[in-house]
Amino acid sequence: MNQYDSMITRQRKWMFYLLSLLVVGAGFTPYPRIFLGLLLGTVISFYNLWLMQRKINQLGLATIQNRQMRGIGTFTRLASGAAAALIALRFEEYFHLIAVIIGLMTAYVVIMIDFALLKSRDLHKEEG
């Protein structure tokens, strides 16, 4: 498995862990509306992460094969974020809008944390 595939696997694993924590939080805390909002945003964020990783992989293959690609799915990712906000606005009794917006950013936080942990691990290997 190359470095890119292992990075994708790690990021998806962290997202699944986070999703499971949010499900537990929605079911067993006195703040289900906030956790359901975080869950909705994080599910859409996970979909956006999967879509972005898939499109980047396709872009790499197109580059190798000397083909052109139309885009990397930016409009689709923006539309899914807008759909999550509309769902939260339509069903306000179930989803907290600010929590949905925070949830939409979780994939980027996971990417940054994964990068920081990987660089930290690389620095420790160089020192030791």
Side-chain angles (χ1 to χ4, degrees):
M1 182 181 293
N2 64 24
Q3 186 176 0
Y4 180 70
D5 289 334
S6 64
M7 178 192 69
I8 287 174
T9 303
R10 274 193 322 273
Q11 290 171 357
R12 288 181 186 173
K13 191 185 310 182
W14 281 109
M15 288 296 288
F16 279 125
Y17 292 151
L18 181 59
L19 285 170
S20 64
L21 283 174
L22 293 175
V23 168
V24 169
F28 297 107
T29 65
Y31 309 105
R33 196 168 155 249
I34 291 174
F35 278 101
L36 286 175
L38 286 169
L39 186 63
L40 174 64
T42 304
V43 165
I44 300 297
S45 183
F46 184 61
Y47 166 73
N48 286 340
L49 177 69
W50 171 79
L51 184 66
M52 183 173 50
Q53 290 169 342
R54 194 178 114 233
K55 289 289 192 173
I56 288 173
N57 198 23
Q58 289 174 352
L59 179 66
L61 292 175
T63 303
I64 290 171
Q65 298 170 354
N66 206 13
R67 290 185 296 124
Q68 274 204 327
M69 218 175 117
R70 284 184 35 198
I72 57 170
T74 303
F75 180 75
T76 306
R77 292 194 312 271
L78 288 174
S80 65
L86 288 175
I87 290 169
L89 287 172
R90 171 66 177 91
F91 300 103
E92 280 187 63
E93 62 273 10
Y94 299 109
F95 303 107
H96 191 269
L97 180 62
I98 303 299
V100 171
I101 293 169
I102 291 170
L104 286 171
M105 296 183 287
T106 55
Y108 302 106
V109 173
V110 166
I111 290 171
M112 288 186 280
I113 290 172
D114 180 61
F115 176 76
L117 289 174
L118 187 65
K119 287 300 170 186
S120 172
R121 205 176 307 148
D122 288 346
L123 284 175
H124 286 354
K125 283 182 182 178
E126 289 177 5
E127 290 174 0

